[in-house]
Amino acid sequence: MCGATTYLVEIEDPHLKLHTLQLLQVTLRLQPLFKRSLTYIPQNDTDLADKALNFGNQHEFADIRWYPAQRMAIYRIDDRVPVNTTGNGVYDMIGLRSVPTSVVALVRSTEETTEATSNADGKCADALSSTSAAATANFGLTNDGLLFTGYPVIGFQNQMQSSGSCLSSPEDGLITACAWDPRFKGSFFQQSTVSIGLSKVKDFILDIQKLRDLQPKSLCNVELYDGILMRYIKASTAYLGKQEDAIDFDITYYRSRDPMSPRLYEDVLEEIEQMALIKYGGIPHWGKSRNVAFDGVISKFSKRSEFLKVKDAYDPSGLFSNEWTDQILGIRGRTSIFKKGCALEGLCICSEDTHCAPEKGYFCRQGKVYTEARVCTALAMKN
């Protein structure tokens, strides 16, 4: 079912003191209500590099949660089923629920302590506990909105896709809140999300596993944030769309509130980020990446010239542009910022020790697997 709606939009350009009217037509396509059937299957990650290539074609809503330090991958078998299939399941993802702020603050304080003391064993133990708790709670799935009675969980699309109740939870004076709510000392993290073309995914996964094998405790950090989420993305004909079928690698990890404070195993995640972006030509998520991801990103799109022509035609005065969009579109300037400690926050790729934290034992060195990478390495750190 399709329907077209036309909007009359008034645009004011404060620089030229002009008002223009434009007609915009938007076509919406709807489809009949349907249900989904979801089952999570944990497996060893030994053959993940091979399995990941075809898993997305086998299930319509497939994704994979990868816990590299635990050498485990959780495969999401998720398919469309007829609307008359029995089941009224709900997916209320644990990490997106409203939770007691005192608990979140304690978790954050514990992580800050393990970071400050370089306690890799403690961080790995916490990651294992977190993963086990999520699995015990069936990742937030229930068969009827209240209880989990077993797989598969079958429910309506809107109840299975809308996976978090946090934002709709009542206000209670911050007794509970979203874990990332800035009104209290809760979660604070970085995200690096990059799409890797399917033709390169296998080698990228193998490189991460090689890095993990060299430093087995180095990726417990991401497991505290529910592991590496691998989502399947189709190629697009849009000017700035995905250039080929790809997997999004969504990596979330600890971030200090002090921008000059390095992370435990800082170098490992920087190396993975640079492998994804440079060695494998990955395309960064526009809203889930750091400055370094966007330098030269426009060159990765074959239809960039066509996009810029359309941009100039519809916005010749640059009303909808700013310094940041000019940088990421390659019009003027660059997104990297070079200064003391810039690599710690992903503002730059280090080229000298001062870009890291030499006073804290972190120096700019080459990567361990991707040797062309330049990363902030703690020279005294033990594996």
Side-chain angles (χ1 to χ4, degrees), residues 40-102:
Y40 279 120
I41 302 292
Q43 295 184 356
N44 188 279
D45 76 349
T46 302
D47 56 357
L48 174 63
D50 289 312
K51 279 189 175 180
L53 300 182
N54 296 315
F55 185 66
N57 291 323
Q58 296 168 354
H59 304 284
E60 185 175 1
F61 303 102
D63 67 34
I64 303 170
R65 286 277 179 183
W66 183 20
Y67 301 87
Q70 297 177 48
R71 300 173 184 269
M72 176 177 66
I74 298 179
Y75 295 82
R76 177 176 177 149
I77 298 174
D78 191 350
D79 293 292
R80 186 185 305 239
V81 294
V83 72
N84 60 357
T85 306
T86 301
N88 195 28
V90 176
Y91 187 15
D92 186 7
M93 185 176 172
I94 294 172
L96 300 179
R97 294 178 181 179
S98 186
V99 290
T101 54
S102 58

Side-chain angles (χ1 to χ4, degrees), residues 27-304:
T27 300
L28 304 177
R29 184 174 67 181
L30 306 178
Q31 59 179 300
L33 186 66
F34 63 92
K35 285 185 173 181
R36 285 161 59 172
S37 173
L38 191 159
T39 300
Y40 279 120
I41 302 292
Q43 295 184 356
N44 188 279
D45 76 349
T46 302
D47 56 357
L48 174 63
D50 289 312
K51 279 189 175 180
L53 300 182
N54 296 315
F55 185 66
N57 291 323
Q58 296 168 354
H59 304 284
E60 185 175 1
F61 303 102
D63 67 34
I64 303 170
R65 286 277 179 183
W66 183 20
Y67 301 87
Q70 297 177 48
R71 300 173 184 269
M72 176 177 66
I74 298 179
Y75 295 82
R76 177 176 177 149
I77 298 174
D78 191 350
D79 293 292
R80 186 185 305 239
V81 294
V83 72
N84 60 357
T85 306
T86 301
N88 195 28
V90 176
Y91 187 15
D92 186 7
M93 185 176 172
I94 294 172
L96 300 179
R97 294 178 181 179
S98 186
V99 290
T101 54
S102 58
V103 173
V104 179
L106 177 61
V107 170
R108 173 65 188 190
S109 179
T110 299
E111 190 173 16
E112 288 178 340
T113 299
T114 57
E115 284 281 335
T117 57
S118 297
N119 184 0
D121 289 329
K123 177 155 284 197
C124 290
D126 291 342
L128 182 60
S129 296
S130 176
T131 305
S132 298
T136 300
N138 306 296
F139 307 99
L141 285 164
T142 56
N143 296 83
D144 59 1
L146 294 174
L147 298 174
F148 178 82
T149 56
Y151 290 122
V153 175
I154 298 171
F156 286 103
Q157 154 72 2
N158 63 307
Q159 295 290 347
M160 300 295 286
Q161 181 66 31
S162 302
S163 59
S165 60
C166 183
L167 292 179
S168 60
S169 299
E171 288 285 351
D172 57 11
L174 287 182
I175 295 175
T176 62
C178 302
W180 58 87
D181 193 317
R183 294 176 296 174
F184 77 104
K185 187 181 177 182
S187 296
F188 194 61
F189 48 78
Q190 292 274 21
Q191 283 189 314
S192 295
T193 301
V194 184
S195 294
I196 306 294
L198 277 180
S199 62
K200 302 174 182 177
V201 159
K202 179 177 179 177
D203 289 337
F204 179 56
I205 291 174
L206 290 174
D207 270 354
I208 294 177
Q209 291 176 327
K210 290 175 186 176
L211 196 53
R212 182 267 319 273
D213 292 344
L214 288 173
Q215 296 182 297
K217 302 171 187 176
S218 62
L219 291 174
C220 293
N221 193 338
V222 302
E223 297 184 359
L224 279 167
Y225 296 87
D226 211 14
I228 299 174
L229 175 59
M230 299 166 57
R231 298 180 291 182
Y232 291 87
I233 308 294
K234 295 295 292 182
S236 171
T237 57
Y239 291 153
L240 298 186
K242 303 300 181 186
Q243 303 296 282
E244 64 173 303
D245 290 351
I247 294 181
D248 256 13
F249 289 80
D250 196 335
I251 307 174
T252 306
Y253 47 95
Y254 174 85
R255 182 183 185 184
S256 174
R257 294 183 185 276
D258 175 6
M260 299 302 292
S261 180
R263 284 185 306 279
L264 185 61
Y265 293 110
E266 173 93 20
D267 56 329
V268 173
L269 285 169
E270 288 183 359
E271 185 170 344
I272 291 173
E273 183 178 45
Q274 291 175 43
M275 281 195 301
L277 294 167
I278 302 171
K279 182 177 181 179
Y280 294 105
I283 295 176
H285 188 294
W286 295 111
K288 290 185 177 181
S289 292
R290 311 188 305 169
N291 283 49
V292 295
F294 299 107
D295 257 345
V297 66
I298 193 65
S299 66
K300 297 179 180 181
F301 296 93
S302 61
K303 296 182 180 179
R304 56 188 177 275

Side-chain angles (χ1 to χ4, degrees), residues 273-343:
E273 183 178 45
Q274 291 175 43
M275 281 195 301
L277 294 167
I278 302 171
K279 182 177 181 179
Y280 294 105
I283 295 176
H285 188 294
W286 295 111
K288 290 185 177 181
S289 292
R290 311 188 305 169
N291 283 49
V292 295
F294 299 107
D295 257 345
V297 66
I298 193 65
S299 66
K300 297 179 180 181
F301 296 93
S302 61
K303 296 182 180 179
R304 56 188 177 275
S305 297
E306 289 92 331
F307 173 81
L308 292 173
K309 288 177 183 177
V310 172
K311 173 188 175 300
D312 291 340
Y314 281 88
D315 186 25
S317 61
L319 176 63
F320 295 103
S321 298
N322 56 38
E323 182 181 4
W324 176 251
T325 60
D326 284 349
Q327 290 170 348
I328 63 176
L329 294 176
I331 296 172
R332 64 176 63 85
R334 59 185 302 186
T335 59
S336 287
I337 299 172
F338 292 91
K339 63 179 182 179
K340 179 178 171 60
C342 57

